[in-house]
Amino acid sequence: MDELERAIVNRLQGGFPLCARPFAAAARELGADEATLIATLQGMLDAGTLTRFGPMYDAERLGGAFTLCAMSVPAADFERVAALVNAHPEVAHNYERAHRLNMWFVLATASRAQIAPVIAAIEAETGCTVLDLPRDQEYFVELRLPA
Amino acid sequence: MNALDERIVRATQAGLPLTAEPWLAVAAAVGISQEELFARLEAMLADGRLRRIGAVPNHYALGYTANAMSVWDVADEAVDALGAEVGALPFVSHCYRRPRRLPQWPYNLFAMVHGRSRAETGAHIAAIGELLAPALRAGDVLYSTRILKKTGLRLA
């Protein structure tokens, strides 16, 4: 990772300006020029160092309902259950975790009322009980993992 | 959310065009002036619907491969004050209070912790444990071993 890439990760995770030439303005802050910054960002997106460049919205505050779900899935049945769970479009992400509760997924629906039917369908299809763990409170985070 | 804000979210949630005047391109796509676009984005920043605008790094590509969900059983009367302190730690990306589901699940505080090795992540988790110690009854750590699905949270 070169110096500009490092500066982008460390100093450009927020604050991208709302102005006519924002890359030029951001580049000045980072000691680069507009064309170099744009080319470097494109390179980082192509390489997968950045997943995205732009506004990061709070999906929950935009509206809709979310919950974190956990299941304890027998090892022999894990792949079948994963395929059944992932087939639901309401499943936004799904992780295998090293724990008795070994499958953790997030459900995202337009309204709270739509969460329970999806959970019921997953339980019926998989034969596994779903623990429904909606967030009661979010604590402010300011993630700044240094590059 | 009003229809205009929704159009702005849809036009930008996958990323900005990497051109000299990206906001002008977004405004044109949405059918409003650049000034109106700035006013709507500023309003969304102010009320928290928009967290920030900038680079979204891939933690794995940066070498942060030891990602753990740490979970804690913290006394109810102390969890909000301590949760705010945990959320402020630099290696914590998400911190939430969630309901206990007894007897299967006794934990009410969740903190996602990132490190470049399990040793580094383990040290971070130990630091959280010390911070919570006065109100802590139990804790556990769940490392992710595989991503089974990741589509992100987007307006469909």
Side-chain angles (χ1 to χ4, degrees), chain A residues 16-26 28 34 38, chain B residues 16-27 33-35 37-38 41-42:
Chain A
F16 187 66
L18 297 172
C19 64
R21 299 289 288 270
F23 290 107
R28 272 194 299 279
E34 180 183 52
I38 287 174
Chain B
L16 284 180
L18 297 183
T19 55
E21 298 181 308
W23 298 123
L24 198 60
V26 170
S33 70
Q34 185 167 256
E35 290 63 38
L37 175 65
F38 291 165
L41 288 171
E42 273 162 12

Side-chain angles (χ1 to χ4, degrees), chain A residues 89-147:
Chain A
E90 296 87 355
V91 174
H93 5 93
N94 187 4
Y95 286 83
E96 179 184 46
R97 295 190 179 278
H99 192 268
R100 183 180 55 75
L101 290 161
N102 53 357
M103 189 179 291
W104 290 77
F105 52 92
V106 170
L107 292 183
T109 60
S111 70
R112 174 62 45 195
Q114 290 167 277
I115 293 278
V118 178
I119 290 177
I122 289 174
E123 289 185 326
E125 290 164 14
T126 64
C128 299
T129 301
V130 172
L131 281 188
D132 176 14
L133 303 167
R135 84 181 186 191
D136 289 331
Q137 177 69 48
E138 175 177 14
Y139 302 109
F140 181 75
V141 291
E142 187 81 8
L143 182 66
R144 289 286 184 271
L145 296 175

Side-chain angles (χ1 to χ4, degrees), chain A residues 1 8-9 12-23 34 38 41-42 45 48-59 61-62 66-68 78-79 82 85-89 91-101 103-104 106 108 129 131-147, chain B residues 1 8-9 12-23 34 38 41-42 44 47-59 61-62 64 67-69 79-80 83-84 87-88 90-99 101 104-105 109-110 112 114 116 140-154:
Chain A
M1 191 173 287
I8 287 167
V9 170
L12 198 54
Q13 287 188 37
F16 187 66
L18 297 172
C19 64
R21 299 289 288 270
F23 290 107
E34 180 183 52
I38 287 174
L41 287 169
Q42 188 62 62
L45 287 166
T49 318
L50 301 182
T51 56
R52 197 152 36 87
F53 186 87
M56 188 187 227
Y57 296 98
D58 181 329
R61 288 209 174 117
L62 289 178
F66 300 84
T67 194
L68 177 67
F78 195 87
E79 302 305 323
V85 170
N86 291 351
H88 288 268
V91 174
H93 5 93
N94 187 4
Y95 286 83
E96 179 184 46
R97 295 190 179 278
H99 192 268
R100 183 180 55 75
L101 290 161
M103 189 179 291
W104 290 77
V106 170
T129 301
L131 281 188
D132 176 14
L133 303 167
R135 84 181 186 191
D136 289 331
Q137 177 69 48
E138 175 177 14
Y139 302 109
F140 181 75
V141 291
E142 187 81 8
L143 182 66
R144 289 286 184 271
L145 296 175
Chain B
M1 185 165 56
I8 292 169
V9 172
T12 57
Q13 65 186 350
L16 284 180
L18 297 183
T19 55
E21 298 181 308
W23 298 123
Q34 185 167 256
F38 291 165
L41 288 171
E42 273 162 12
M44 285 196 268
D47 67 23
R49 283 176 291 161
L50 174 51
R51 289 174 185 270
R52 59 177 175 262
I53 308 172
V56 183
N58 174 350
H59 298 162
L62 294 181
Y64 290 88
N67 303 307
M69 184 169 76
V79 68
D80 285 335
F91 45 81
V92 172
S93 65
H94 302 82
C95 189
Y96 300 120
R97 173 162 56 80
R98 298 182 185 277
R101 299 296 187 205
Q104 304 100 311
W105 189 255
L109 183 67
F110 287 60
M112 300 300 305
H114 303 270
R116 292 181 160 108
D140 201 351
V141 180
L142 290 80
Y143 280 96
S144 60
T145 46
R146 192 158 39 124
I147 298 172
L148 303 169
K149 182 176 185 181
K150 189 167 190 177
T151 55
L153 300 173
R154 289 193 182 171

